Amino acid sequence: MKKFIIITAIIITMALSDGFGQNRSIQFAEKPWSEVLAQAKKENKLIFMDAFASWCGPCKWMAANIFTNDTVADFYNKNFICCSYDMEKGEGLELRKKYAVKAYPSLLFITPEGNLVHKKVGAPRRVNDYLSMGLTAQNPEECLASYYKKYAAGDRDPLFIRTYLERLIDAYEPVTDVLASYFATQNEQDLLLRSNWTIIYNYVEDMNSKEFLYLVNHEKEFSNLYTKDSTDNKISDVYVRSLMKLVRSSSMSDAGYIAMKQKIRDSGFSGAEKVIFTSDLNLYYTRGEKQKYLDLAYDDLEKYYADSYEMLNSVSWNVFQLCNVYDFNKSKKYLEKAMEWSKKAISLKNEPAGNDTHAQILFKLGKTDEAIKYERTAIALAKRQNISSHQYEESLKKMLSTGSEKK
């Protein structure tokens, strides 16, 4: 059955495109929940429920771009009884409690008896994601409810656990207890196995957990087995997230933040100073400590992120925005440094956003003709990638009205 499901999904992917804006749409039953259940029982079909909120942006995007796609509409209309409820009014209030809806959109698959068998939280961008989701919900061996039962029955096989964690993450369900229970069955040396590395890399986020401490203490062994970049990135990510979680918590104190940074330094991790730089930069930006942010970025960004498009572009843009609140003479040196960073970012990855960042900084520095050139490149790249260029076009109009080039 599993092989058939996989083959079916592949055939659908090959035969159908991911295009949007077509003619048909999912036919959502506009009737009370009791009547939806009765219809599902009569037709012997699962129920597909779009659990949404009126203010939810991704919900609106999905309704406009996915539910109106011919491929999705045909598949869901054929295989499910479809319904849609606002979880903050009418029957949606009780349904939200019954099915523990905690985030929007939540896409639920429910039996005619009212039992939840599968769940996905979020609005995937690709048509095939919705087809795969529906096929998984229909498969009694692969749906989330089946994984709940297998786990409760004691299945701790690494491949099973990995898929179970994927199902839980997709459903916006906690994974901490599952991770703890699974790693309790593993010896320390077993943590070096590829199956466990995959689980650690994708799901471990607690810097005080046994498996994360083992990863840090055996950084070289993991680097030799699974590359230094991936090992460093994982450790760095956990440390940065832990520091930022502390910053956002109500119990945040400068003393606690300093203590956690010292703990990271004392861990022996080779990338500790990079982690602390990244976290301090985030802290200053979050707190609105503009001068500290500008000075730290100016001094050390290239030391740690000279080859990162994402950081060079992001920090360049932040500097541009922060410098809008300073007089030009005070901010010029930071803008000129950001101009260098943004140009380097473009050399690493020629993206619309990067060209726009560089253009905006050039324009702020009075280099209008050069700014126009990069803004036009941003627009061309955006159109080539089929993403909105409206914001870039508005910026170009402003630049053209100021610059010597009026074409």
Side-chain angles (χ1 to χ4, degrees):
M1 180 62 177
K2 183 175 181 180
K3 183 180 289 185
F4 171 77
I5 294 294
I6 293 172
I7 292 172
T8 302
I10 292 172
I11 291 171
I12 291 172
T13 305
M14 294 174 62
L16 302 169
S17 71
D18 275 5
F20 296 141
Q22 301 178 62
N23 298 318
R24 298 186 290 282
S25 62
I26 292 180
Q27 300 302 305
F28 290 105
E30 297 182 4
K31 57 180 69 175
W33 176 237
S34 60
E35 294 182 21
V36 171
L37 289 169
Q39 183 180 351
K41 187 172 184 179
K42 180 180 179 181
E43 298 185 27
N44 192 29
K45 290 181 179 180
L46 284 176
I47 297 163
F48 167 64
M49 181 192 293
D50 168 34
F52 71 94
S54 59
W55 47 262
C56 167
C59 301
K60 295 175 183 177
W61 177 88
M62 188 169 58
N65 296 289
I66 295 295
F67 296 160
T68 58
N69 176 274
D70 286 357
T71 303
V72 174
D74 291 345
F75 178 76
Y76 276 80
N77 289 337
K78 178 181 178 181
N79 291 284
F80 303 99
I81 303 301
C82 303
C83 60
S84 183
Y85 293 95
D86 186 332
M87 295 287 104
E88 297 185 344
K89 62 177 65 172
E91 278 196 292
L93 294 169
E94 286 302 315
L95 292 169
R96 183 178 69 186
K97 293 179 185 177
K98 180 177 177 62
Y99 296 112
V101 174
K102 295 173 284 190
Y104 307 110
S106 285
L107 307 176
L108 312 179
F109 295 86
I110 301 165
T111 67
E113 293 73 37
N115 300 316
L116 181 70
V117 294
H118 198 64
K119 179 180 180 181
K120 166 71 178 178
V121 173
R125 307 292 292 185
R126 301 188 315 122
V127 163
N128 194 57
D129 291 333
Y130 294 83
L131 305 182
S132 298
M133 185 197 319
L135 290 167
T136 299
Q138 289 180 305
N139 188 335
E141 294 300 317
E142 291 299 318
C143 64
L144 178 60
S146 172
Y147 275 77
Y148 281 141
K149 291 178 183 177
K150 292 174 185 176
Y151 181 77
D155 194 337
R156 295 299 183 270
D157 177 78
L159 292 178
F160 164 79
I161 290 293
R162 191 167 71 188
T163 305
Y164 184 41
L165 289 167
E166 290 174 3
R167 297 280 190 271
L168 290 172
I169 292 292
D170 280 350
Y172 203 63
E173 296 294 331
V175 299
T176 304
D177 290 345
V178 175
L179 284 170
S181 175
Y182 170 70
F183 281 120
T185 69
Q186 303 295 297
N187 297 320
E188 282 198 340
Q189 275 298 114
D190 292 336
L191 296 178
L192 283 165
L193 297 173
R194 180 173 290 277
S195 56
N196 283 327
W197 165 242
T198 301
I199 293 172
I200 291 169
Y201 188 84
N202 288 324
Y203 303 107
V204 169
E205 296 182 351
D206 181 0
M207 66 176 277
N208 297 310
S209 66
K210 176 191 76 175
E211 51 277 6
F212 181 74
L213 292 174
Y214 185 85
L215 168 62
V216 174
N217 292 330
H218 296 79
E219 180 187 345
K220 289 184 179 178
E221 291 100 312
F222 278 95
S223 295
N224 290 334
L225 288 168
Y226 308 115
T227 77
K228 179 172 174 55
D229 282 349
S230 60
T231 303
D232 286 356
N233 287 342
K234 177 59 188 178
I235 296 173
S236 296
D237 183 66
V238 171
Y239 278 144
V240 170
R241 286 175 181 269
S242 297
L243 284 163
M244 294 316 298
K245 183 178 179 181
L246 176 63
V247 168
R248 292 191 296 268
S249 71
S250 58
S251 60
M252 163 65 180
S253 69
D254 288 346
Y257 183 73
I258 292 169
M260 185 177 285
K261 289 198 296 183
Q262 189 58 49
K263 185 174 183 178
I264 293 169
R265 285 192 172 103
D266 293 343
S267 71
F269 173 47
S270 60
E273 293 306 321
K274 182 178 180 179
V275 164
I276 289 165
F277 164 79
T278 306
S279 183
D280 283 348
L281 205 61
N282 288 333
L283 174 66
Y284 297 148
Y285 192 81
T286 301
R287 283 182 167 181
E289 297 183 56
K290 301 178 180 65
Q291 193 61 54
K292 287 184 178 181
Y293 182 95
L294 292 171
D295 287 337
L296 182 60
Y298 187 91
D299 290 339
D300 290 335
L301 180 64
E302 290 171 281
K303 178 179 178 181
Y304 298 113
Y305 287 106
D307 296 319
S308 169
Y309 163 82
E310 287 76 13
M311 278 296 287
L312 289 171
N313 180 59
S314 175
V315 175
S316 296
W317 180 255
N318 288 343
V319 169
F320 165 73
Q321 288 189 310
L322 292 174
C323 284
N324 282 337
V325 302
Y326 286 98
D327 64 75
F328 183 76
N329 289 332
K330 187 175 182 180
S331 63
K332 185 178 179 182
K333 80 167 189 174
Y334 302 109
L335 286 167
E336 288 177 339
K337 181 63 74 171
M339 178 181 67
E340 296 174 12
W341 296 333
S342 58
K343 189 170 184 179
K344 177 67 180 298
I346 293 170
S347 72
L348 293 169
K349 191 185 294 185
N350 196 22
E351 292 289 333
N355 278 272
D356 175 63
T357 298
H358 192 55
Q360 297 282 5
I361 295 169
L362 287 167
F363 185 60
K364 181 74 173 176
L365 287 167
K367 302 175 185 292
T368 305
D369 289 349
E370 197 175 353
I372 288 169
K373 182 183 74 171
Y374 280 97
E375 200 65 73
R376 282 182 165 159
T377 301
I379 293 167
L381 288 170
K383 290 181 176 179
R384 197 177 305 158
Q385 295 176 19
N386 197 30
I387 61 178
S388 174
S389 61
H390 175 73
Q391 184 176 348
Y392 307 146
E393 289 168 356
E394 290 300 308
S395 295
L396 180 61
K397 288 178 184 178
K398 181 179 177 181
M399 293 173 187
L400 286 172
S401 69
T402 304
S404 59
E405 183 178 344
K406 301 294 183 179
K407 296 179 183 178

